[in-house]
């Protein structure tokens, strides 16, 4: 028995029904086909809703902060090479691994030993890596690096979204010394 191919519009966007409908071993009646299409639409709707929720959750300050904290852990563990391996393609096209790793290591050395970090802010921005490319959603996450009660400096971890938050840069700013006054 040879099955007639149904128009794609009738099957909607559920490719596995189309495959199942045309095999000789599996025959879908109109009633079953309709039920499966509705089930597929329901499944696709649930997947789209979950993907939207996951995508929306990915752009919360907590997601950016989490990515920056993971980067600081790798930096503290002297794994700048590994951090480079996870960087977006535009970073890798502009900087070699050795330069990235040595830059991160030199920046981190400015702080010396620190006992904790206090999150102080997130600045969101768009970055266009090259002409004729869409802008990327990026963020600069800032921390105060502490040793005991003393601020040793400020860290800025830059991250950009490329299917996940990826580290693109690390900069340390040392606190300015208070101006001396003459008594």
């Amino acid at each position: 028995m040879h099955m007639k191919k149904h128009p794609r519009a009738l099957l909607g966007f559920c490719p596995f029904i189309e495959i199942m409908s045309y095999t000789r071993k599996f025959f879908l009646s109109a009633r079953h086909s309709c039920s499966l299409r509705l089930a597929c639409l329901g499944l696709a709707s649930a997947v789209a809703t979950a993907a939207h929720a996951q995508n929306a959750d990915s752009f919360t300050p907590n997601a950016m902060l989490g990515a920056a904290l993971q980067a600081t852990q790798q930096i503290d563990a002297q794994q700048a090479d590994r951090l480079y391996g996870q960087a977006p393609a535009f970073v890798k096209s502009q900087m070699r691994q050795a330069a990235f790793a040595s830059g991160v290591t030199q920046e981190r050395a400015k702080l010396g030993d620190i006992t904790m970090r206090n999150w102080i802010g997130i600045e969101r921005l768009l970055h266009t890596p090259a002409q004729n490319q869409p802008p990327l959603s990026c963020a600069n996450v800032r921390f105060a690096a502490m040793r005991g009660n003393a601020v040793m400096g400020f860290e800025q971890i830059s991250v950009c979204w490329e299917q996940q938050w990826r580290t693109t840069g690390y900069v340390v700013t040392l606190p300015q010394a208070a101006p001396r006054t003459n008594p």
Side-chain angles (χ1 to χ4, degrees):
M1 161 157 101
H2 181 40
M3 293 281 304
K4 234 180 171 181
K5 191 169 184 177
H6 296 287
R8 196 162 186 64
L10 179 65
L11 294 170
F13 57 91
C14 194
F16 72 85
I17 289 179
E18 185 175 22
I19 292 167
M20 289 171 36
S21 298
Y22 307 127
T23 62
R24 288 183 143 198
K25 295 180 181 176
F26 193 105
F27 177 78
L28 292 176
S29 69
R31 184 180 56 130
H32 290 102
S33 177
C34 183
S35 297
L36 281 175
R37 274 194 302 274
L38 290 175
C40 184
L41 288 172
L43 176 64
S45 175
V47 168
T49 301
H52 177 71
Q54 178 184 5
N55 196 21
D57 289 344
S58 298
F59 289 91
T60 65
N62 284 342
M64 295 172 219
L65 178 60
L69 284 171
Q70 286 178 343
T72 60
Q73 290 170 351
Q74 288 180 313
I75 292 166
D76 289 345
Q78 299 177 355
Q79 296 177 343
D81 288 335
R82 187 169 172 216
L83 197 59
Y84 179 85
Q86 300 162 358
F90 79 89
V91 171
K92 293 176 182 176
S93 71
Q94 296 175 7
M95 183 177 283
R96 293 181 186 232
Q97 182 173 353
F100 181 89
S102 70
V104 168
T105 302
Q106 288 173 2
E107 287 293 303
R108 178 60 182 86
K110 292 178 184 178
L111 294 173
D113 293 331
I114 60 172
T115 56
M116 70 176 178
R117 289 178 170 91
N118 287 331
W119 169 55
I120 56 175
I122 294 177
E123 175 189 19
R124 297 195 59 175
L125 52 115
L126 291 176
H127 173 69
T128 304
Q131 283 185 325
N132 301 323
Q133 287 189 349
L136 297 173
S137 182
C138 300
N140 292 324
V141 182
R142 291 187 43 91
F143 296 96
M146 311 285 291
R147 183 184 310 138
N149 291 330
V151 175
M152 302 310 296
F154 301 95
E155 297 172 290
Q156 178 176 294
I157 293 87
S158 299
V159 294
C160 287
W161 180 259
E162 192 177 83
Q163 284 108 28
Q164 66 183 36
W165 289 107
R166 299 177 185 271
T167 303
T168 59
Y170 175 74
V171 177
V172 170
T173 307
L174 298 176
Q176 295 181 354
R180 292 188 177 197
T181 59
N182 292 332

